Amino acid sequence: MNKYSSIALFSLGSLFAVDSEAYDWGFRSYDAPVNYNFLSVAIGGGKLNSDVLEGRDGVTVSDINLRFLVNEYWITNIQYKGRFTHHGDENDRADYVTVSGARRFAVMDNGDLYAGVKLGGVSVKIRDSNGSTIAKEQDFLLGVFAGVNYGFTDALEGNMVLEYLEYDLTHESSFELSLDYYFTTHFSLGAYGRTIWNDDSTLDQGGIVAKLRF
């Protein structure tokens, strides 16, 4: 795991290392070991290591995600991701809007496996220092993903996910680890670390996440 992932996750883990007892708050849906019904907002940053895109190193990212458990077995997501890559007097902007569906497998008392597909679109823009668009490309994307959710306690949850996205502009794979701590039954703060790679580059990033459970 990259240094951004390690710093984010180690900081959160250290903060709540003393939380060794499960709380009986009783807010699990369908007896699931983690919360699935939430709206989350994430911000973060990282570094791009590229063989062909010289000078594009600083990256900022944002994420808005609406997830809910349709029934005991099926999960759905509506998600927006924004990625800004800075280089000289220009910057790249990539916007992703996706809808996904996944099957949940309750394989252990404290954890779930899940796997699903993702459909959506991506828009990539090259902009100058004034924010004006120099070039723009749009494309349809298709993705698959699989992961593990685990409830360490009623308040502390963890997630690990692998994802692959395919579209004409490029393709990318990613691996993510995250932790979330619920301060109340409806609000949590967390941290994540993610590595994204394709044939030409690797993006290491980390950030913080706020979730509002409904």
Side-chain angles (χ1 to χ4, degrees), residues 32-156:
V34 298
N35 288 312
Y36 284 101
N37 300 322
F38 60 79
L39 174 67
S40 69
V41 177
I43 56 173
K47 180 178 178 60
L48 178 68
N49 301 296
S50 176
D51 296 330
V52 296
L53 302 175
E54 295 183 0
R56 289 167 167 82
D57 50 3
V59 176
T60 56
V61 290
S62 60
D63 186 308
I64 301 174
N65 187 33
L66 177 63
R67 173 177 293 181
F68 54 95
L69 199 61
V70 178
N71 56 37
E72 187 175 357
Y73 303 106
W74 295 99
I75 311 161
T76 187
N77 265 67
I78 302 173
Q79 187 175 31
Y80 163 78
K81 286 184 179 182
R83 183 189 303 167
F84 302 85
T85 306
H86 314 288
H87 54 101
D89 293 330
E90 300 177 358
N91 61 87
D92 302 338
R93 172 174 176 170
D95 296 282
Y96 302 80
V97 178
T98 59
V99 177
S100 62
R103 176 65 159 82
R104 169 180 172 251
F105 303 92
V107 296
M108 47 190 162
D109 290 340
N110 296 324
D112 292 338
L113 300 178
Y114 62 94
V117 297
K118 177 177 290 188
L119 302 173
V122 57
S123 174
V124 178
K125 300 177 182 178
I126 306 299
R127 306 184 305 175
D128 61 22
S129 57
N130 297 317
S132 300
T133 300
I134 301 173
K136 178 179 179 180
E137 292 189 62
Q138 294 177 317
D139 195 17
F140 171 81
L141 70 82
L142 174 65
V144 293
F145 57 91
V148 180
N149 285 320
Y150 193 84
F152 297 100
T153 71
D154 269 7
L156 184 63

Side-chain angles (χ1 to χ4, degrees), residues 3 7 19 23 28 79 126 175 198 211:
K3 65 179 181 180
I7 292 171
D19 184 17
Y23 298 97
R28 294 288 188 254
Q79 187 175 31
I126 306 299
F175 174 71
N198 56 35
K211 289 182 178 179

